[in-house]
Amino acid sequence: MCVRACPLEINIPGFIRSLREGRVSDAYAIIREKSCLPSICGRICSAPCEVACVLNEEAAPIGIRALERYAADFGKGKLAKKQRLLYGGKKVAVIGSGPAGLSAAADLAQRGYQVTVYEAFDKPGGILRYGIPEFRVPKKTLDHEIDQIKALGVTIETNFLIGHTATLEEIRQKFSAVLLATGAGIPKFMDLPGTSLGGVYYGEEFLMRVNRAKSTFFSRGVPKLPLGQKIAVIGSGNTALDCARTGVRLGRQVTLIFRRLEEDMYVAEEERQYAKEEGIQFASLVKPVEILPDSNNFVRGLKCVRMDFADRDGSGNWEVAELPDSEFNLDVDTVVIAVGHNPNSLVGEGTPSLKINDDGTMQVRDNDSMTSIPGVFSAGNVRTNAGPVVEAMASGKKAAEDIDRYLRG
Amino acid sequence: MPFKIINKLVLADQVKRIDIIAPNIARRINPGQFVSVAPEEDDEHIPLTVTAYDLIKGSIMLIFPEVGHTTKKLGAMHIHEEIYSVLGPLGRSARIGKEGLVVCIATGIRIAQILPICRAFRDKGNRIIGVIGAKTKRSLMLEPQMRLACDKLYIATNDGSYERRGQATDILGEVLEKNRIDCVYAIGSVEMMRAVCAMTGQKNIKTLVKLNPVMTDCMGMCGSCRVKVGGKMVLACIEGPEFNGFDVDFDDLEIRMNAYEENAQWGNLPSEHKTGNGGPKTLTKFLSGILKG
Ligand SMILES: Cc1cc2nc3c(=O)[nH]c(=O)nc-3n(C[C@H](O)[C@H](O)[C@H](O)COP(=O)(O)OP(=O)(O)OC[C@H]3O[C@@H](n4cnc5c(N)ncnc54)[C@H](O)[C@@H]3O)c2cc1C
Ligand SMILES: Cc1cc2nc3c(=O)[nH]c(=O)nc-3n(C[C@H](O)[C@H](O)[C@H](O)COP(=O)(O)OP(=O)(O)OC[C@H]3O[C@@H](n4cnc5c(N)ncnc54)[C@H](O)[C@@H]3O)c2cc1C
Ligand code: FES
């Protein structure tokens, strides 16, 4: 069951058996066959396999994610270079070095292509680097995984923003195929009065600043952004939870505000429990309506209304609706908004032939990852808009297959 | 790719100019575009306008005053040292058309940003009146270059130590009275651009402004550069930094620009969150914070 649930099709019973027999490096090798970022997945995967676990009916599922983390952290050895099959050394460019781009790059390199990854940031990793905080994915672990991928012969070119430093068209001409894996890193704006005030941040900025400051705390250490003592985080996804948990680690008092029920949050149960243990207050069924300014135009408080389930038209359809006269002011001085992302299709700037859907996702052919430009493929969150790491990786692997098929004709 | 500093000059009081080797950027840069620079690994990335470029050397020229952590660090770097990260060109290029008589107005450090705009307007065959202002003669920079780029140049210093005493906007008022102006391009503080737009609005003159909101990643992934333009929130790093002056909500911009002035609000925070003077106490506190996590 679990193997079918895993988008990467990792041989889960196989590696667990190896672990049970004490062969940790064998377990690692089994995972490694399918996944090029095992210690990342072992930490933050949404673990669809655990949901599908056969033991679920009787008791709790096996902690597959934790086992994977163990195997990856303790079983890792030097990555043996696989024998390379050379298809005339064709060159492939991968744009974006998030999980989708990296998996595709690793797969393509293993198939004997010359792969160059272009990344706009100064370091590769995508959201794993600048979004997810250090305490969930240590930068050292990430560096190690990326070194392994580089060892396969992948070149990573940072500080290179496709669409600006070079256009997609130029890259297309230099390479036999191009993969767009630019992710979905653009924050969704929230339509709320007061979002311009001082002390209001979007989750991406908050995490990015903390992440960039933290990675060498000896030289600098402090994120350069003004923070109050009481933070309200708006949102119920992974980003919101990460912002909240980061806030706690900065010594702040954090309230997480969201419109739905706690059980309906889009996060792994485990993460939610951690957050509770860390002392984050959960304000479920609350909707913010206005950020209140003080005389300096900084945040003074957050005006909210309570929500509840209501059967408004009597049809038995219970929906979340505002409770009348339930307005209250939350006493906070910083607000972090993390209500979702839009796909990053800015790579198409200056290349009108690249077709983009109305919601910003990349248009692709059915059953294939190719976009409207022949030889240009896309994978990861830029295609799906949102989704867990494993799906981005699986989509990267699928794109690698499609590219391989395309290049072999 | 190494971004080597090949030239470094002091232009005015505390203002430095550096030339950096960055052939990929020099090849594609347009007037009005900027780069995002981090002097060393894990430093803050800051946006800086490319004032000029040299295709033969493959270099770009940046001009900045040493005001904060990052610019001080950048200013302390020597010739032949390598800058860790330079990303660009970023932002949209300036909309330079054949307008006729154009006024380019800028104050202080923003003169470095208006220079490439003046040159581009001139190359398109426009006539240009330059108006620049500075606090004192000592902080005035790029005067010769501006004189070459403009057909006529007016200078104002706030303390009267050079040419006219007063504000650049005073001169603009007179220029607008005496000439039939087709277009005004303004780069300056929020108050200055607001004043310019008020003046040109009366006469219905096309006005372009270049905004400098605080930016973090400079490529549309964080939202810190959001500004209200035409009643909508837009990202200045993607859709700007140049906008039509009459569309910009300057009150909102003022709030955004002020939002990062730490001391304005949380001056009484525990010491760990004041930047700059990270004493040993700060470090220990911060470390323990991380170890807990
Ligand atoms: C805070 C946070 C927490 C999360 N937590 C979890 C979790 O616990 N579990 C889980 O399963 N998922 C989680 N996710 C989701 C997961 O991170 C994403 O699914 C995954 O990172 C998507 O990968 P990607 O490769 O598609 O894109 P990204 O990781 O976004 O990578 C895209 C890369 O492309 C680069 N790029 C973009 N445009 C260009 C360009 N024009 N030129 C060059 N480079 C460019 C970007 O800089 C970026 O590095 C979380 C996401 C966030 C934001
Ligand atoms: C599109 C764009 C182009 C720019 N071009 C130039 C340029 O060519 N030359 C130049 O000197 N500066 C330019 N700036 C401003 C430059 O980014 C800031 O001066 C820089 O971020 C200061 O960094 P710091 O770490 O040295 O100072 P900080 O410690 O961050 O701040 C020091 C002082 O600078 C002010 N400041 C911080 N960020 C900005 C900002 N974005 N705009 C204005 N003031 C700011 C702060 O309010 C503070 O008073 C530009 C900004 C943008 C958005
Ligand atoms: S600077 Fe990050 S979105 Fe513009």
Side-chain angles (χ1 to χ4, degrees):
Chain A
M1 291 311 270
C2 45
V3 183
R4 234 177 299 148
C6 178
L8 294 173
E9 296 164 3
I10 294 174
N11 179 0
I12 296 169
F15 92 73
I16 295 181
R17 201 168 306 124
S18 298
L19 275 183
R20 211 168 50 202
E21 291 161 10
R23 290 177 287 122
V24 186
S25 1
D26 288 356
Y28 176 70
I30 292 177
I31 301 172
R32 190 82 216 183
E33 265 171 33
K34 298 287 183 184
S35 160
C36 66
L37 303 166
S39 26
I40 309 290
C41 286
R43 287 181 165 81
I44 65 164
C45 181
S46 51
C49 50
E50 293 184 14
V51 179
C53 181
V54 282
L55 290 181
N56 243 342
E57 281 170 19
E58 293 160 30
I62 296 181
I64 301 172
R65 183 169 89 166
L67 289 175
E68 178 176 3
R69 173 173 172 175
Y70 176 78
D73 283 359
F74 294 97
K76 66 186 162 206
K78 191 97 192 85
L79 188 73
K81 262 197 194 177
K82 286 203 178 161
Q83 208 191 347
R84 292 205 175 186
L85 319 155
L86 278 179
Y87 297 122
K90 279 193 180 147
K91 291 196 331 192
V92 181
V94 174
I95 298 170
S97 63
L102 288 178
S103 321
D107 265 28
L108 285 165
Q110 277 171 350
R111 288 168 201 251
Y113 294 101
Q114 283 182 47
V115 187
T116 310
V117 179
Y118 288 100
E119 169 57 51
F121 274 96
D122 50 331
K123 284 182 194 159
I127 283 182
L128 304 178
R129 168 98 45 196
Y130 67 77
I132 297 178
E134 171 88 18
F135 63 86
R136 288 188 65 206
V137 175
K139 300 288 170 280
K140 241 172 101 184
T141 313
L142 182 61
D143 286 340
H144 178 85
E145 298 282 21
I146 290 172
D147 284 346
Q148 301 248 346
I149 291 169
K150 280 191 188 155
L152 293 170
V154 175
T155 325
I156 300 183
E157 184 103 38
T158 51
N159 290 315
F160 208 103
L161 184 63
I162 306 295
H164 283 264
T165 315
T167 57
L168 182 56
E169 202 45 51
E170 282 172 338
I171 295 292
R172 173 74 192 91
Q173 273 157 22
K174 270 202 240 158
F175 291 88
S176 312
V178 179
L179 175 67
L180 306 177
T182 52
I186 298 188
K188 242 183 216 156
F189 282 158
M190 193 173 192
D191 194 14
L192 190 70
T195 49
S196 304
L197 296 175
V200 180
Y201 302 101
Y202 279 92
E204 288 70 17
E205 182 187 359
F206 181 70
L207 291 174
M208 200 183 289
R209 286 201 187 243
V210 174
N211 259 331
R212 282 185 167 186
K214 244 187 198 173
S215 34
T216 58
F217 42 81
F218 286 115
S219 65
R220 188 106 179 280
V222 193
K224 198 171 121 191
L225 94 169
L227 274 185
Q229 279 307 318
K230 288 177 222 141
I231 306 182
V233 179
I234 305 175
S236 59
N238 272 315
T239 315
L241 205 64
D242 280 352
C243 290
R245 294 179 67 193
T246 306
V248 169
R249 279 163 179 75
L250 292 170
R252 304 307 203 269
Q253 203 181 316
V254 184
T255 316
L256 194 62
I257 298 175
F258 45 97
R259 266 195 293 201
R260 58 190 77 239
L261 278 176
E262 226 178 280
E263 293 77 53
D264 297 343
M265 285 177 75
Y266 298 124
V267 295
E269 175 61 23
E270 209 179 319
E271 303 288 344
R272 194 163 62 92
Q273 292 303 340
Y274 285 149
K276 287 221 129 153
E277 276 169 28
E278 284 162 11
I280 294 166
Q281 296 195 3
F282 284 60
S284 52
L285 292 171
V286 167
K287 179 175 138 192
V289 286
E290 190 187 349
I291 305 174
L292 304 168
D294 68 1
S295 55
N296 292 331
N297 284 317
F298 274 73
V299 177
R300 171 169 59 91
L302 185 64
K303 192 152 118 193
C304 308
V305 288
R306 291 198 192 284
M307 316 281 287
D308 208 342
F309 285 91
D311 184 8
R312 269 188 293 194
D313 43 6
S315 62
N317 250 345
W318 290 78
E319 292 175 354
V320 186
E322 278 176 32
L323 270 184
D325 303 323
S326 65
E327 275 188 8
F328 65 102
N329 283 353
L330 205 63
D331 175 31
V332 293
D333 47 18
T334 306
V335 175
V336 176
I337 305 175
V339 290
H341 307 267
N342 288 324
N344 188 347
S345 36
L346 299 167
V347 60
E349 267 190 28
T351 314
S353 53
L354 184 71
K355 296 237 168 56
I356 289 165
N357 292 328
D358 291 341
D359 61 353
T361 50
M362 219 57 89
Q363 241 178 45
V364 291
R365 297 196 311 208
D366 299 339
N367 303 325
D368 194 0
S369 325
M370 203 192 289
T371 61
S372 54
I373 305 178
V376 178
F377 296 76
S378 96
N381 280 7
V382 69
R383 248 175 67 194
T384 52
N385 195 352
V389 167
V390 262
E391 273 172 27
M393 290 176 63
S395 127
K397 286 179 91 74
K398 166 88 173 41
E401 260 169 45
D402 290 340
I403 290 175
D404 187 39
R405 202 169 332 114
Y406 167 80
L407 289 181
R408 277 192 295 168
Chain B
M1 205 189 323
F3 301 100
K4 204 179 206 177
I5 300 179
I6 52 165
N7 194 5
K8 183 175 161 189
L9 291 172
V10 180
L11 289 188
D13 204 11
Q14 302 257 313
V15 179
K16 298 246 163 89
R17 161 190 155 175
I18 54 173
D19 293 3
I20 308 168
I21 292 284
N24 279 334
I25 300 173
R27 202 160 44 90
R28 297 196 53 93
I29 194 101
N30 285 317
Q33 287 186 306
F34 57 98
V35 292
S36 155
V37 183
E40 275 174 31
E41 194 171 344
D42 295 312
D43 270 340
E44 191 102 355
H45 286 239
I46 59 164
L48 292 172
T49 307
V50 176
T51 306
Y53 59 91
D54 185 332
L55 276 182
I56 298 166
K57 289 190 208 133
S59 68
I60 55 173
M61 183 213 283
L62 306 177
I63 295 176
F64 55 90
E66 297 179 286
V67 284
H69 179 91
T70 317
T71 42
K72 276 190 189 130
K73 205 157 176 183
L74 205 57
M77 292 182 79
H78 301 297
I79 294 185
H80 293 315
E81 272 188 293
E82 278 170 14
I83 293 182
Y84 168 65
S85 155
V86 181
L87 175 71
L90 301 167
R92 300 233 167 115
S93 37
R95 284 167 281 174
I96 308 281
K98 178 99 179 75
E99 307 283 353
L101 187 55
V102 181
V103 176
C104 292
I105 175 167
T107 50
I109 179 64
R110 268 87 173 201
I111 300 172
Q113 300 188 33
I114 202 108
L115 182 61
I117 307 276
C118 288
R119 288 178 172 161
F121 267 121
R122 195 196 47 195
D123 291 345
K124 272 268 153 86
N126 297 288
R127 286 200 307 126
I128 298 149
I129 299 179
V131 181
I132 56 177
K135 281 211 180 70
T136 73
K137 187 178 176 198
R138 258 166 68 82
S139 60
L140 184 73
M141 54 176 197
L142 296 177
E143 188 200 337
Q145 286 88 337
M146 282 300 286
R147 282 207 190 278
L148 278 175
C150 302
D151 293 281
K152 184 129 190 57
L153 183 70
Y154 296 98
I155 300 171
T157 47
N158 297 1
D159 63 352
S161 53
Y162 189 57
E163 302 248 334
R164 280 274 302 271
R165 178 200 204 89
Q167 305 281 346
T169 40
D170 303 341
I171 299 183
L172 178 71
E174 290 167 26
V175 171
L176 290 179
E177 283 299 316
K178 286 192 207 134
N179 306 278
R180 226 189 60 74
I181 306 292
D182 299 297
C183 176
V184 173
Y185 204 112
I187 309 180
S189 61
V190 178
E191 301 97 85
M192 182 269 215
M193 290 190 284
R194 187 192 278 135
V196 169
C197 288
M199 279 188 226
T200 54
Q202 284 171 2
K203 296 192 154 68
N204 232 334
I205 301 170
K206 177 178 173 186
T207 309
L208 297 172
V209 294
K210 193 173 163 218
L211 309 183
N212 284 359
V214 173
M215 295 189 178
T216 307
D217 67 334
C218 306
M219 47 191 162
M221 295 190 210
C222 70
S224 62
C225 65
R226 58 190 187 273
V227 288
K228 214 181 227 165
V229 176
K232 234 175 57 190
M233 276 289 177
V234 299
L235 295 174
C237 63
I238 301 295
E239 318 221 346
E242 176 196 284
F243 293 101
N244 184 343
F246 303 132
D247 289 344
V248 177
D249 183 340
F250 286 108
D251 295 338
D252 192 78
L253 180 64
E254 198 163 16
I255 299 176
R256 291 297 311 149
M257 295 288 288
N258 186 37
Y260 292 82
E261 297 290 329
E262 323 225 345
N263 306 333
Q265 179 70 5
W266 290 295
N268 50 356
L269 273 190
S271 64
E272 61 173 319
H273 271 274
K274 283 186 196 155
T275 44
N277 50 358
K281 205 170 149 206
T282 316
L283 193 62
T284 350
K285 254 194 183 170
F286 192 75
L287 277 174
S288 62
I290 289 177
L291 292 179
K292 255 188 261 162

